[in-house]
Amino acid sequence: MTAGVDAQVNEILKATEILNTAVKTTVDEWTKAGGEGTLIGDTRMVLPTPAGYNAHKTILGAVGKIQELIAIPQMKLIEMSEQFYESRALHIAAEHRIADSLAGHDAEGVAVGELAKQTGLHAGKLCRILRVLCSSGIFKEVNPEIFANNRISAVLAHNESFRSYILVFSICHYKVAGALPDAIRDPIKGHSSKVNETAFNISHDTTDSFFEWMETKVPSEDGKSMVGRPELPYFSSAMVGVGRVSSTALIYDYPWASLGKGTVVDVGGGV
């Protein structure tokens, strides 16, 4: 073997060794805890042990490294260039509450025809959208054209705050991503750090910053009054959802008693 191949083989073997060790740690921690971790109230969050969490991060890192080492470069780049379709498929599933419709049917699943009736979507197109998500590990096809939640999609079921977080990306940020190439090459915005000279301003045709825009009033459906933006309730709810994901471990694991009589301030906790 050449020196380059030797180095690649050594990296694969090292990453596999790290992966196997982390998997063993994960299995040991799950066995001791009687599951993945502790379910925290209505947050839908499962807190692993510190050792289990570290092993979780190590597994993902090792798997990513192995994928980097063995992937066909052209195919990896093609997959990356197409991933916005996966995001859009998830946005559609969240908008039409597919996880809600599948809740309680984990074993037998729900036929796509029934899901189409509930959502008003075309059955064939909905089936293809769900298969895209299944191939990414979200939902599962238990029989041909019959779908069910898996452990990933189940967290969306009847979970309004987390669903809102997904929908904020669909309603607001997806358009921003589309405008990013224009913003990067813009002679002003491409070199600016101002909050009102961004891809957001191009995509939403505004000179306001994101938070200023979010607080502006828009005409009501009947045109007789000015009301809050339709995106605002989703954003406010989304902050609750993402807070549960990102802050639950902090609340339970941080040594708060060590602060004594210290004061904790939540800065920027909503709009």
Side-chain angles (χ1 to χ4, degrees), residues 20-161:
N20 289 337
T21 300
V23 168
K24 184 179 184 305
T25 299
T26 298
V27 172
D28 290 344
E29 293 299 309
W30 285 7
T31 301
K32 287 189 293 185
E36 293 182 50
T38 303
L39 180 63
I40 304 300
D42 63 354
T43 67
R44 313 285 281 275
M45 287 295 297
V46 175
L47 289 187
T49 63
Y53 179 67
N54 288 333
H56 157 85
K57 292 192 296 183
T58 299
I59 289 171
L60 295 180
V63 169
K65 184 62 179 179
I66 292 170
Q67 288 180 325
E68 174 198 331
L69 291 167
I70 68 171
I72 298 171
Q74 294 89 338
M75 293 305 301
K76 175 64 176 177
L77 294 173
I78 289 172
E79 289 170 5
M80 179 66 74
S81 71
E82 295 176 343
Q83 282 185 340
F84 62 89
Y85 285 115
E86 297 175 21
S87 298
R88 267 330 218 181
L90 177 59
H91 297 160
I92 291 167
E95 177 185 350
H96 294 280
R97 301 180 181 275
I98 299 299
D100 292 5
S101 297
L102 298 178
H105 301 281
D106 293 350
E108 75 280 14
V110 178
V112 74
E114 177 58 30
L115 294 173
K117 290 178 183 177
Q118 294 179 21
T119 60
L121 302 178
H122 184 276
K125 292 181 179 179
L126 178 58
C127 186
R128 290 192 287 276
I129 288 169
L130 291 177
R131 282 176 174 163
V132 166
L133 292 171
C134 288
S135 69
S136 298
I138 304 171
F139 300 108
K140 59 185 178 182
E141 190 171 6
V142 296
N143 278 301
E145 300 186 359
I146 298 177
F147 296 90
N149 281 321
N150 63 2
R151 63 181 291 274
I152 304 295
S153 63
V155 302
L156 272 173
H158 306 297
N159 189 347
E160 284 305 301
S161 61

Side-chain angles (χ1 to χ4, degrees), residues 91 94-95 162-172 234:
H91 297 160
E95 177 185 350
F162 190 66
R163 173 178 173 269
S164 293
Y165 187 68
I166 302 299
L167 290 179
V168 164
F169 280 90
S170 174
I171 297 168
C172 297
Y234 287 110

Side-chain angles (χ1 to χ4, degrees), residues 151-222:
R151 63 181 291 274
I152 304 295
S153 63
V155 302
L156 272 173
H158 306 297
N159 189 347
E160 284 305 301
S161 61
F162 190 66
R163 173 178 173 269
S164 293
Y165 187 68
I166 302 299
L167 290 179
V168 164
F169 280 90
S170 174
I171 297 168
C172 297
H173 300 318
Y174 188 82
K175 289 173 64 178
V176 177
L180 185 57
D182 290 335
I184 288 293
R185 58 176 170 257
D186 186 279
I188 296 175
K189 294 181 176 66
H191 298 271
S192 175
S193 298
K194 294 181 179 179
V195 296
N196 62 346
E197 292 181 348
T198 67
F200 169 79
N201 300 104
I202 295 175
S203 64
H204 288 74
D205 191 24
T206 179
T207 57
D208 291 335
S209 70
F210 173 77
F211 289 102
E212 290 171 337
W213 175 85
M214 188 65 77
E215 293 182 319
T216 56
K217 302 293 184 181
V218 296
S220 61
E221 289 187 8
D222 59 13

